[in-house]
Amino acid sequence: MAARIPMASYPFQEIERKWQHFWESEEVFATPEEPDTSRDKFYVLDMFPYPSGVGLHVGHPLGYIATDIVARYKRMQGVNVLHPIGFDAFGLPAEQFAVEHGVHPRITTESNVANMLDQLKRLGLSYDWNRVFSTTDPDYYKWTQWIFLQLYQSYFDQTKRKARPISELVDEIVAGSSDVATAEQWKRLDARGREELLSEHRLAYMAEVPVNWCPALGTVLANEEVTNEGRSERGNYPVYRRPLRQWMLRITAYADRLEDDLELVEWPDAIKLMQRNWIGRSEGANVDFKLEHSQESVTVFTTRPDTLFGATYMVLSPEHPLVDSVTAEERQQDVDEYRKVAAGLSEIDRMAEGKQKTGVFTGGFAVNPVNGKKLPIWIADYVLMGYGTGAIMAVPAHDQRDFEFAKAFDLPIVPVVKPDREWLARYEITEEEYLESPESLEEVFAGTGEGCNSSNDEVSLDAVPTRRAKTLITDWLEAKGLGSYQIQYKLRDWLFSRQRYWGEPFPILHAAEGTIQPVPESELPVRLPEMDDFKPEASDDPDAPPRPPLSKAPEEWRFVERDGVRFERELNTMPQWAGSCWYYLRFIDPHNKERFVDQAKQEYWLSPNGVDLYVGGAEHAVLHLLYARFWHKVLFDLGHVSTPEPFRRLVNQGYIQAFAYRDERGVVVAADEVIDQDGQPAADVQGQSGRRYFHDGQPVVQEYGKMGKSLKNASSPDEVCAEYGCDTFRLYEMYLGPIEGSKPWSTRDIIGVHRFLRRVWRNFVDEESDALLVVDGEVDEGLERELHRTIKKVTDDFDRLSFNTAIASMIEFNSELVGLEKIPRRLAEPLVKLLAPLAPHLAEELWHRLGHAKTIAFESWPDYDQELVKAQTIVIPVQVNGKVRGSLSVAPDQQKEAVLAAAREDENVARHLEGKTVRREIYVPGKIVNLVAN
RNA sequence: GCCGGGAUGGCGGAAUGGUAGACGCAACGGACUUAAAAUCCGUUGGGGCGCAUGCCCCGUGUGGGUUCGAAUCCCACUCCCGGUACCA
């Protein structure tokens, strides 16, 4: 428990109330609609918060305080700053609350937003409050729907590598200049056929995709809503994988550009790498395998077409559409059972099961196109429908997973690539032995080498190195019409519909005969209908068609007539990602009624390549950041935004971590409701050994992770702010460590930064008389140098967002002033300015007391004098053979010879050199001397 | 499983190839006080030698390597965290 201290001396409550009121009533931080564009600008943005019922937790402000410091620092450098905030307010929790308590999500959302706005303001954050909006505002989601229509009305031109209006594709088809279809084909198609053809090219289209379907809840579940046993977290109902017709966005068309353009942004290398891996581009071939007793064939994707001769069986994903047609009658029962089990597993479980491979033989066979061999067709859950073609040719000699599977089910293993010597040596086996019995090892040879056992009458890969073998065989396959070059991505198209109420309605109408029509722009927004019952329709039948909440909307909403035809509105809504994909654009021009963002404003604030600094958690490394980049690129292609990328510089703040608790089903329970075996709240004893924890009488297990809604372990900043003030809270969060690092939440150390602010206050203000302790007059040279060094340090640290070290240097400088009776203004004013971005309330108050009428927010950032920053003498350690044996005080410009001579003269150094000959002398100017001797 | 990150005193961290532990917390000692709080000053990685200004050895998750010199670069491993496409 931190020591409590009286607050008589540093009246933070009064100061903070006063200046927060001043900033708000004067609209100090409102960015003008028409800023002076001759000045530099800086757009600094936080990732959109979700307005949860428990409000802000101490993890949120970590990023918000950092960006606020940057915003305030940039303003003091005379830059136009755009620093907005808003709310990503659609989403699951409000809807679930509505389902359970019957409160309309709008009500919950509005009160949560109001609460969070209040909390944000109490942290002294300098947002432009005039630009606040929520994704749930019809004025906002109107434009989300508009962007969806842009996607729907566009296609990706493979030649120009960019999005273009679909109408231009139609024009080209009609003119006969498109390879999508001939004018003749187009003419023969009816409306529905044309629609189908175009939907294969639109950036927004409908398709069947597998989802976690929970018939009892009547909805699709996220993997995290499914328990370890494959049941729903809510209600414990069974969950099934089944295909569902869904809206999809064709993000895969942009795969190459999303990968290539990572070079245009200043992001952490780790994030770029994760995006590259997520996109997962790989080159290889598609190969067709004819089915026995059928005209059909199975297409597989392989990155190793050179191993085609080594394919000894095939595996289809359990969801593969051809499973039924290849399955032999007597195998049907086993196959069905296996598919049922596989349908109950999430993708993570299917892969995580890892070691033990499972699968069943279908009884069907395919023919290897290169050697005519019969290949048994199996199904196994290690083949995923979502990647490649959902089917593989298994080459157990050269793929670890196929190898394990083949050993488990006793399938033949035929090596077709000769391992290199090094590899053979590692397993202590000769080439002959290996080729004879590859199954004797635990590992496969997955590397490259010369082919063997790989020839037919027309083509031979024997003795051909892997690289050339790939080309050779793929060319052969292409010539025979059996396969083709293929670039495959791990990235999948974006599943864009949700069976929920609390999301943006799609601006789409469905006609009875199955055609689709977009809602015209002039009719946007399509508002969410007023409803009381948000529950989707439940059913006992896993195959019953889904009835999402909007199917209960009033008829007047659901059905519309256009030109005498009755249409039903799309009943799905958009995912929460939609609103967060473009909010940074709306902040630039939030009140525009005519456009989603004004062209000129957008050009000014986004130049040269998007938001200047974007701060948020690394949990968004792939999904949000990839989705937002994708939308931005589409808007860029269509001429609506002027930069190829949305976020120029990205910084990931670390997480505040805390203990969390899970029950026996693997479901997270609220951490603040957990007690130990003695009935003490978990918060008081967690971390101690020998504790057992309980929630609602049931045992729970403790874990540790990111504070937030998923782990239900949030703790609010409110108490800390009340006890120590929000300036202390701001400093404390920044002083915890580097912004990128994760750290455990503890309030034990908070007293340290609070003491610092109190010392600052006492340096300026006499506690007894409230008189200012600042005087005009002479300044000690040592202190002056110290000040300039501090200014340099803080400025450099702010530039690299190293706030903890900036605070440390301010603490040091302030401590130098503690002994002074009165402090000279020449030291006092720059110190207050340095402090202003970090502790803005205290800084405003001191600035005001120093006799300034205007806010410190736009005062100029202090400069430092290079000469004064330079050290007069520096201390240089002297090493002998890499161990420090002495040190020297020298002038910074001292010559090498003189330094080395002095080094040898040092008593202790000389002692260590005794009886040895110096073989090498290293002098790094200003850093170190190392004498190498033996 | 796969992709990415992290590990430094009792604790949060500093040091980005050059004196490991800045700054803060906690602890201990002292000043002030009738006393406590607050405040101020000092000590504080572990071990050893010494009257001593001092000197020596060990030490940045584990094991190896590169280098005159490694917390920092490379290889292998352990544990923890984030993501894994419907939490956002």
Side-chain angles (χ1 to χ4, degrees), chain A residues 49-265:
Chain A
Y50 174 78
S52 88
V54 296
L56 216 57
H57 62 72
V58 294
H60 285 116
L62 208 58
Y64 302 164
I65 295 166
T67 53
D68 191 61
I69 292 166
V70 172
R72 288 174 181 272
Y73 169 57
K74 291 283 176 189
R75 285 188 200 104
M76 292 177 77
Q77 290 182 323
V79 170
N80 291 333
V81 169
L82 182 61
H83 186 39
I85 189 79
F87 298 92
D88 192 11
F90 277 125
L92 212 46
E95 179 157 340
Q96 272 173 21
F97 191 83
V99 168
E100 282 158 29
H101 300 91
V103 184
H104 195 285
R106 195 180 352 89
I107 309 285
T108 340
T109 303
E110 277 170 9
S111 90
N112 290 349
V113 163
N115 176 38
M116 272 178 79
L117 270 176
D118 229 46
Q119 287 181 303
L120 290 169
K121 287 179 183 174
R122 269 183 277 136
L123 292 175
L125 299 170
S126 64
Y127 292 119
D128 179 348
W129 304 108
N130 296 337
R131 292 175 192 250
V132 172
F133 59 76
S134 296
T135 50
T136 48
D137 298 344
D139 280 347
Y140 181 79
Y141 71 68
K142 166 180 178 176
W143 297 106
T144 310
Q145 292 170 339
W146 179 83
I147 295 172
F148 175 81
L149 289 180
Q150 305 305 303
L151 289 154
Y152 177 75
Q153 310 276 28
S154 303
Y155 77 109
F156 191 79
D157 181 328
Q158 296 293 346
T159 318
K160 296 192 166 131
R161 301 216 323 145
K162 60 176 279 198
R164 295 173 61 198
I166 195 108
S167 57
E168 294 181 16
L169 177 63
V170 174
D171 293 346
E172 284 180 13
I173 294 172
V174 170
S177 59
S178 172
D179 49 15
V180 163
T182 63
E184 202 45 46
Q185 286 167 330
W186 180 258
K187 214 180 279 172
R188 280 202 302 269
L189 290 170
D190 61 6
R192 182 139 182 207
R194 289 177 177 182
E195 182 50 50
E196 271 167 22
L197 175 72
L198 291 181
S199 86
E200 284 168 30
H201 297 276
R202 293 184 191 274
L203 293 180
Y205 64 100
M206 293 189 87
E208 298 256 322
V209 280
V211 295
N212 296 321
W213 175 246
C214 181
L217 292 173
T219 190
V220 172
L221 298 177
N223 284 330
E224 76 154 18
E225 296 176 280
V226 181
T227 65
N228 302 337
E229 297 92 43
R231 302 179 80 87
S232 64
E233 191 178 294
R234 280 178 295 130
N236 208 30
Y237 301 113
V239 177
Y240 305 87
R241 296 283 293 173
R242 70 169 257 197
L244 209 58
R245 195 164 162 78
Q246 308 266 300
W247 278 101
M248 304 290 287
L249 297 186
R250 206 177 299 281
I251 190 173
T252 50
Y254 279 81
D256 281 336
R257 274 172 61 191
L258 288 169
E259 177 166 355
D260 295 345
D261 286 359
L262 286 171
E263 284 179 25
L264 307 179
V265 292

Side-chain angles (χ1 to χ4, degrees), chain A residues 602-870:
Chain A
Q602 165 273 122
E603 262 173 51
Y604 175 70
W605 286 109
L606 290 184
S607 69
N609 200 11
V611 171
D612 296 289
L613 177 63
Y614 191 31
V615 176
E619 69 269 27
H620 295 294
V622 276
L623 297 179
H624 160 64
L625 287 169
L626 211 53
Y627 292 156
R629 291 180 63 216
F630 164 50
W631 276 36
H632 192 91
K633 285 185 183 307
V634 175
L635 292 170
F636 174 68
D637 288 351
L638 299 176
H640 297 304
V641 296
S642 54
T643 63
E645 285 288 326
F647 313 116
R648 177 162 67 95
R649 181 167 176 219
L650 172 75
V651 169
N652 293 119
Q653 100 255 0
Y655 315 110
I656 295 278
Q657 295 171 311
F659 289 106
Y661 303 87
R662 245 175 237 282
D663 69 16
E664 281 166 327
R665 295 165 62 224
V667 177
V668 176
V669 301
D672 56 6
E673 295 166 6
V674 173
I675 53 171
D676 76 348
Q677 70 266 35
D678 303 327
Q680 307 175 77
D684 297 347
V685 297
Q686 56 200 6
Q688 293 176 14
S689 59
R691 299 283 118 188
R692 284 173 291 123
Y693 298 97
F694 299 88
H695 178 261
D696 223 0
Q698 297 301 308
V700 291
V701 291
Q702 189 180 60
E703 63 180 49
Y704 179 69
K706 184 180 88 172
M707 182 176 285
K709 59 180 179 300
S710 292
L711 290 180
K712 299 186 182 168
N713 57 353
S715 85
S716 154
D718 297 353
E719 292 86 58
V720 172
C721 288
E723 190 169 349
Y724 296 98
C726 72
D727 276 341
T728 296
F729 180 79
R730 291 167 60 107
L731 255 78
Y732 180 60
E733 288 225 336
M734 293 302 97
Y735 197 60
L736 283 172
I739 191 77
E740 301 91 347
S742 290
K743 37 239 154 183
W745 181 246
S746 146
T747 51
R748 195 184 62 177
D749 301 346
I750 202 163
I751 190 71
V753 283
H754 188 71
R755 281 185 193 133
F756 162 58
L757 292 184
R758 296 193 62 187
R759 266 196 291 266
V760 171
W761 178 259
R762 282 204 316 273
N763 279 340
F764 282 78
V765 179
D766 187 285
E767 289 185 278
E768 300 294 308
S769 65
D770 205 41
L772 190 68
L773 298 175
V774 173
V775 289
D776 298 303
E778 286 307 297
V779 178
D780 172 79
E781 195 195 315
L783 283 177
E784 176 115 47
R785 286 180 179 278
E786 201 54 47
L787 171 71
H788 283 258
R789 272 197 288 272
T790 305
I791 295 173
K792 177 171 168 38
K793 175 77 176 141
V794 172
T795 306
D796 292 350
D797 284 352
F798 276 9
D799 285 334
R800 60 191 183 106
L801 310 185
S802 180
F803 305 117
N804 55 332
T805 53
I807 294 167
S809 69
M810 280 189 232
I811 291 177
E812 284 182 85
F813 180 65
N814 186 60
S815 297
E816 295 287 317
L817 305 181
V818 165
L820 301 182
E821 196 81 352
K822 301 219 163 168
I823 58 172
R825 184 173 287 267
R826 265 176 62 194
L827 301 181
E829 295 207 336
L831 175 60
V832 173
K833 286 181 177 179
L834 294 184
L835 201 55
L838 289 160
H841 310 83
L842 175 60
E844 288 278 22
E845 179 66 20
L846 293 178
W847 192 247
H848 176 71
R849 288 182 181 231
L850 282 163
H852 301 282
K854 284 199 285 193
T855 168
I856 195 170
F858 302 96
E859 289 295 330
S860 67
W861 187 250
D863 290 323
Y864 56 87
D865 182 334
Q866 284 289 359
E867 286 306 309
L868 291 173
V869 169
K870 273 190 201 153

Side-chain angles (χ1 to χ4, degrees), chain A residues 254-281:
Chain A
Y254 279 81
D256 281 336
R257 274 172 61 191
L258 288 169
E259 177 166 355
D260 295 345
D261 286 359
L262 286 171
E263 284 179 25
L264 307 179
V265 292
E266 296 162 44
W267 289 15
D269 288 338
I271 301 293
K272 290 187 183 185
L273 194 53
M274 278 193 265
Q275 292 219 340
R276 286 210 173 87
N277 291 338
W278 186 261
I279 292 165
R281 179 191 156 101

Side-chain angles (χ1 to χ4, degrees), chain A residues 406-423:
Chain A
K407 279 174 78 162
F409 295 101
D410 214 14
L411 292 154
I413 301 172
V414 180
V416 290
V417 183
K418 290 183 181 172
D420 50 65
R421 272 206 207 100
E422 210 178 296
W423 191 88

